[in-house]
Amino acid sequence: MANAPHEAMHRIFQEYPGLFSRVSDLLGLAFPESTRTEVLSNDLTENQPLERRVDTLLRIETEHHGPFLLAVEAQGRKDPDKHASWAYYFSYLLAKYGLPTTLLVVCQDRATAEWASRPVRLGAAQWPVLTLHPLVAGPHNIPFITDVAQARKDLPLAALSAITHADNPDVGAILKSLSTALRDTPETIANPLVELTAQGLGNRPAAQQWRNLVAVDLSFYTSPLSEEIRAEGEARGQAKSLLRMLELRGVDVPPEARQKITGCDDTDLLDQWFSRAVTATSVEEIFTEG
């Protein structure tokens, strides 16, 4: 099952397809700048029991070189079975659309990126039929963007920088430059980047750093993440007030009950508990409807 970082690593190219031309420049390749991009169905299943889906599939139009297909795969670990899948994706897309096709693999750790970068010869050892050699973007070749001006110049690339360097202990410097660059960006542009960055960080320690930065630097935004952070802050405040009320009334609060209160993020429920705490003589009473 796909996880949040996996989704962010390929979805960022759906949201910002022009990002590929900058990434290809970083990889030392001269792909033409797109003039129009269409997100295609990622379902590569034929009339067979085996279902196959590429993570993201884009048809990219160019001004002078015609269209080409870009298949983007997010890869979180080494997986030898992927070589056959990627070869199938390439062959299927080439046969179906008859267009030049490129495969980009996005990774968050250097070991996986190095593994994915190695050319793989497929077929019999005596005569391999083809060599699989995808493009790979990861912490080894995506720049570590900590300069605010650079982040402001290319916000999607700055977000991809944060996502691909998510495991770097110094990723906070990227996150700070990105949040600063987003301050003077319209919400309609900033909100998808705020959410994609959060998604790409997953449950790593850097995710909390990003939440803190969003809460402070981007507190005026109304993105789902910022709303969630504000709700959590309100819930923490209510929980603190509830515990203080119980303390003043001399009601004993065992560790389990304290954890239940502090771990609750439902502000309406906390409000109900607070109302009951005004007359409750035991902590059990605040959790039970009278």
Side-chain angles (χ1 to χ4, degrees):
M1 181 178 293
N3 54 33
H6 178 103
E7 291 296 303
M9 281 192 284
H10 68 87
R11 273 194 53 238
I12 193 169
F13 290 91
Q14 289 185 30
E15 299 290 338
Y16 309 97
L19 176 62
F20 176 66
S21 65
R22 275 97 74 193
V23 170
S24 65
D25 286 343
L26 291 169
L27 301 182
L29 302 168
F31 277 83
E33 185 76 32
S34 64
T35 56
R36 189 176 73 86
T37 300
E38 178 185 0
V39 178
L40 303 180
S41 170
N42 65 343
D43 191 347
L44 309 186
T45 306
E46 297 186 275
N47 294 325
Q48 301 173 1
L50 183 61
E51 180 179 311
R52 297 180 185 271
R53 292 179 186 273
V54 67
D55 288 333
T56 282
L57 179 61
L58 303 175
R59 177 190 168 109
I60 298 178
E61 303 279 351
T62 66
E63 187 172 359
H64 302 294
H65 301 275
F68 68 94
L69 298 183
L70 174 65
V72 184
E73 281 279 285
Q75 192 64 29
R77 59 181 176 82
K78 299 177 185 178
D79 182 0
D81 292 338
K82 275 293 184 179
H83 295 140
S85 296
W86 291 342
Y88 173 87
Y89 298 164
F90 176 83
S91 301
Y92 176 91
L93 292 170
L94 188 62
K96 180 176 181 179
Y97 293 98
L99 293 174
T101 301
T102 296
L103 172 64
L104 174 67
V105 179
V106 184
C107 306
Q108 289 182 297
D109 70 275
R110 186 176 293 271
T112 301
E114 290 176 351
W115 163 81
S117 299
R118 297 189 192 109
V120 177
R121 302 173 74 185
L122 301 174
Q126 297 86 344
W127 192 266
V129 175
L130 59 88
T131 299
L132 180 72
H133 195 192
L135 295 175
V136 178
H140 64 302
N141 56 14
I142 295 298
F144 198 85
I145 298 178
T146 59
D147 180 73
V148 175
Q150 187 181 1
R152 189 177 286 120
K153 184 177 179 180
D154 196 336
L155 292 168
L157 183 60
L160 182 64
S161 175
I163 291 169
T164 53
H165 291 280
D167 286 318
N168 191 304
D170 298 320
V171 69
I174 301 178
L175 299 177
K176 180 59 180 174
S177 69
L178 178 58
S179 67
T180 302
L182 288 172
R183 284 181 190 171
D184 54 0
T185 304
E187 284 190 43
T188 53
I189 297 174
N191 285 350
L193 290 164
V194 169
E195 302 302 323
L196 275 169
T197 302
Q199 193 175 24
L201 297 173
N203 58 3
R204 296 170 172 82
Q208 188 57 51
Q209 289 181 268
W210 182 239
R211 294 174 73 86
N212 294 340
L213 287 167
V214 170
V216 176
D217 290 350
L218 307 176
S219 59
F220 47 87
Y221 282 168
T222 57
S223 70
L225 179 63
S226 59
E227 289 297 313
E228 181 184 332
I229 291 171
R230 281 192 278 275
E232 288 179 357
E234 183 180 349
R236 283 195 296 270
Q238 285 182 279
K240 186 176 180 180
S241 297
L242 173 55
L243 290 171
R244 179 60 176 160
M245 166 69 77
L246 293 170
E247 180 186 349
L248 291 172
R249 300 197 65 252
V251 177
D252 181 55
V253 182
E256 282 190 11
R258 182 177 295 274
Q259 185 175 359
K260 184 174 182 177
I261 292 170
T262 56
C264 180
D265 58 5
D266 186 332
T267 55
D268 290 335
L269 182 57
L270 284 164
D271 191 49
Q272 292 177 25
W273 290 350
F274 188 88
S275 297
R276 295 172 194 160
V278 174
T279 57
T281 57
S282 69
V283 73
E284 289 78 13
E285 292 180 30
I286 73 165
F287 299 135
T288 306
E289 292 189 33

